[in-house]
Short mmCIF file of all heavy atoms in Angstrom, two decimals:
data_model
loop_
_atom_site.label_atom_id
_atom_site.label_comp_id
_atom_site.label_asym_id
_atom_site.label_seq_id
_atom_site.Cartn_x
_atom_site.Cartn_y
_atom_site.Cartn_z
N GLU A 111 96.71 120.19 101.21
CA GLU A 111 95.92 120.79 100.13
C GLU A 111 94.51 120.22 100.11
O GLU A 111 93.52 120.96 99.93
CB GLU A 111 96.62 120.53 98.79
CG GLU A 111 95.91 121.15 97.59
CD GLU A 111 96.62 120.85 96.28
OE1 GLU A 111 97.67 120.15 96.33
OE2 GLU A 111 96.14 121.28 95.23
N GLY A 112 94.40 118.91 100.31
CA GLY A 112 93.08 118.29 100.35
C GLY A 112 92.25 118.80 101.52
O GLY A 112 91.04 119.02 101.39
N ALA A 113 92.90 118.98 102.67
CA ALA A 113 92.17 119.51 103.83
C ALA A 113 91.68 120.92 103.56
O ALA A 113 90.56 121.28 103.94
CB ALA A 113 93.08 119.48 105.06
N HIS A 114 92.50 121.73 102.91
CA HIS A 114 92.09 123.10 102.60
C HIS A 114 90.95 123.12 101.59
O HIS A 114 90.06 123.99 101.67
CB HIS A 114 93.29 123.89 102.06
CG HIS A 114 94.29 124.23 103.11
ND1 HIS A 114 95.58 124.64 102.84
CD2 HIS A 114 94.19 124.20 104.48
CE1 HIS A 114 96.23 124.86 103.96
NE2 HIS A 114 95.40 124.60 104.97
N LYS A 115 90.96 122.18 100.66
CA LYS A 115 89.86 122.12 99.70
C LYS A 115 88.55 121.78 100.41
O LYS A 115 87.48 122.28 100.05
CB LYS A 115 90.16 121.09 98.62
CG LYS A 115 91.23 121.54 97.63
CD LYS A 115 91.46 120.50 96.56
CE LYS A 115 92.52 120.95 95.56
NZ LYS A 115 92.76 119.92 94.51
N GLU A 116 88.62 120.90 101.41
CA GLU A 116 87.41 120.56 102.15
C GLU A 116 86.92 121.75 102.97
O GLU A 116 85.71 121.95 103.13
CB GLU A 116 87.70 119.38 103.07
CG GLU A 116 87.94 118.07 102.34
CD GLU A 116 88.17 116.91 103.29
OE1 GLU A 116 88.10 117.15 104.51
OE2 GLU A 116 88.41 115.79 102.81
N ILE A 117 87.85 122.55 103.47
CA ILE A 117 87.45 123.72 104.25
C ILE A 117 86.77 124.74 103.36
O ILE A 117 85.75 125.34 103.73
CB ILE A 117 88.67 124.34 104.95
CG1 ILE A 117 89.19 123.37 106.03
CG2 ILE A 117 88.32 125.68 105.58
CD1 ILE A 117 90.48 123.82 106.68
N GLY A 118 87.29 124.94 102.17
CA GLY A 118 86.68 125.88 101.24
C GLY A 118 87.35 127.23 101.25
O GLY A 118 88.50 127.40 101.69
N ASP A 119 86.60 128.22 100.77
CA ASP A 119 87.12 129.57 100.63
C ASP A 119 87.36 130.19 101.99
O ASP A 119 86.66 129.91 102.97
CB ASP A 119 86.13 130.41 99.82
CG ASP A 119 86.74 131.77 99.43
OD1 ASP A 119 87.94 131.95 99.67
OD2 ASP A 119 86.01 132.62 98.90
N ILE A 120 88.33 131.10 102.08
CA ILE A 120 88.65 131.77 103.34
C ILE A 120 87.49 132.65 103.81
O ILE A 120 87.28 132.84 105.01
CB ILE A 120 89.95 132.61 103.18
CG1 ILE A 120 90.38 133.20 104.52
CG2 ILE A 120 89.74 133.68 102.13
CD1 ILE A 120 90.71 132.18 105.57
N ASP A 121 86.71 133.16 102.84
CA ASP A 121 85.55 133.98 103.22
C ASP A 121 84.52 133.13 103.96
O ASP A 121 83.89 133.60 104.92
CB ASP A 121 84.93 134.61 101.98
CG ASP A 121 85.87 135.63 101.32
OD1 ASP A 121 86.71 136.19 102.07
OD2 ASP A 121 85.76 135.85 100.11
N LYS A 122 84.37 131.89 103.53
CA LYS A 122 83.44 131.00 104.22
C LYS A 122 83.92 130.71 105.64
O LYS A 122 83.13 130.63 106.58
CB LYS A 122 83.28 129.70 103.44
CG LYS A 122 82.63 129.87 102.08
CD LYS A 122 82.49 128.52 101.38
CE LYS A 122 81.82 128.68 100.01
NZ LYS A 122 81.69 127.37 99.32
N VAL A 123 85.23 130.56 105.77
CA VAL A 123 85.79 130.33 107.11
C VAL A 123 85.54 131.53 108.00
O VAL A 123 85.16 131.39 109.18
CB VAL A 123 87.31 130.03 107.00
CG1 VAL A 123 87.92 129.89 108.39
CG2 VAL A 123 87.55 128.77 106.18
#
Side-chain angles (χ1 to χ4, degrees):
E111 182 181 0
H114 287 164
K115 287 182 180 179
E116 291 182 2
I117 292 174
D119 190 7
I120 186 62
D121 294 333
K122 295 181 180 180
V123 176

